[in-house]
Amino acid sequence: MREIVQPGVRVAERIQWAEARGRAFKLTLESGLPLLEAARRGFAAQGFAGGTLNITGGALGPFAYVMPALSKTSEHAAFYSETFRPQGLTRLKLAAMTLGVRDGAPFFHCHGLWTEADGRANGGHMLPEETMVAEPFEVDAFGIDGAVFAAEPDPETNFRLFGPVASEARGASTNARAFALRLRPNQDVATALEGFCRDRGIARATIHGGVGSTIGARFTDGRTVEPFATELAISSGIIAPGASALEAKLDIALVDHTGGLAEGRLVRGDNPVLMTMELVLEAL
């Protein structure tokens, strides 16, 4: 399996996790608000401080993002591009968001694909500080209570990354057992999730959200993405019994550091994490 050497100290715990309770719900993001504030308000109205969003449409503007890029120093294995600010309305095709906290305030990590006003298809990492909801649109949300994604320095990658930590329950209405997860670098996404479920006796699970990066990509239809630095969103994911064991079926979308876009189902066993992969796993 492909591997990228990270510049920092390898952390022994390869899956960072916290158990919580959760609930799926529909959320309409209000227009005229920063995307971060629109998401925060929607979750707060349901009694949650954070969780995940899966987005399959919507309009943003103003809008700002970065793309994956090669690192110019040895401090990081890969880095970000300059900031892009396309004019006019940007129409989302799909996106996944993790809503958590940084420095004690709401923050999000969001990757997706979209079409800009000039017709150009693109993708990358949306910037919370500069992205506004231009028109109201509905999204699929999953709130978690008893855990939160918090941005903290990561000694392995030298980035400040979202990771799940236990938090005091707020008493939100929930109906599901949930796990907030972060997969660390150089482990296959699918088999890591399968192993996590197997170790806890979870026979079936649904993935909510899913924001991170893989070392290129290998798809079940034979297509490959060779550029190693990506920004990835999981558009749908389940873990269920397969022919002989648990199998994760993960449909994703990504942009690589050359600007290439790709969508498809990941091959099990050959799609290692580059920097991080954060998501919520709902045990069924």
Side-chain angles (χ1 to χ4, degrees), residues 226-252:
E226 294 301 335
F228 79 93
T230 71
E231 300 277 18
L232 177 151
I234 296 177
S235 55
S236 67
I238 62 169
I239 301 169
S244 60
L246 283 181
E247 293 185 4
K249 297 180 180 179
L250 305 173
D251 295 323
I252 66 95

Side-chain angles (χ1 to χ4, degrees), residues 2-7 14 68-71 76-80 154 156-157 159 161 182-189 212-216 227-232 255-257 271-277:
R2 302 177 306 287
E3 180 173 334
I4 296 295
V5 176
Q6 295 292 337
R14 302 316 293 163
L70 301 180
S71 179
H76 302 94
F79 206 66
Y80 298 117
D154 177 55
E156 189 168 348
T157 64
F159 281 110
L161 300 174
R182 182 208 160 199
L183 306 184
R184 298 188 187 275
N186 295 317
Q187 58 183 321
D188 176 68
V189 177
S213 56
T214 53
I215 302 171
F228 79 93
T230 71
E231 300 277 18
L232 177 151
V255 59
D256 65 49
H257 69 258
N271 283 288
V273 174
L274 175 59
M275 298 294 180
T276 190
M277 183 66 65

Side-chain angles (χ1 to χ4, degrees), residues 133-231:
V133 180
E135 300 170 357
F137 60 93
E138 188 177 71
V139 299
D140 291 316
F142 192 88
I144 53 174
D145 195 24
V148 65
F149 285 94
E152 299 175 331
D154 177 55
E156 189 168 348
T157 64
N158 287 340
F159 281 110
R160 197 175 184 194
L161 300 174
F162 263 160
V165 294
S167 65
E168 184 176 354
R170 297 162 59 101
S173 173
T174 61
N175 58 14
R177 184 187 184 197
F179 295 86
L181 303 181
R182 182 208 160 199
L183 306 184
R184 298 188 187 275
N186 295 317
Q187 58 183 321
D188 176 68
V189 177
T191 55
L193 293 175
E194 292 163 2
F196 183 88
C197 288
R198 187 169 53 250
D199 291 347
R200 287 155 187 81
I202 299 170
R204 294 180 182 273
T206 297
I207 302 302
H208 297 281
V211 185
S213 56
T214 53
I215 302 171
R218 302 291 184 266
F219 296 113
T220 55
D221 62 5
R223 289 177 298 125
T224 64
V225 174
E226 294 301 335
F228 79 93
T230 71
E231 300 277 18

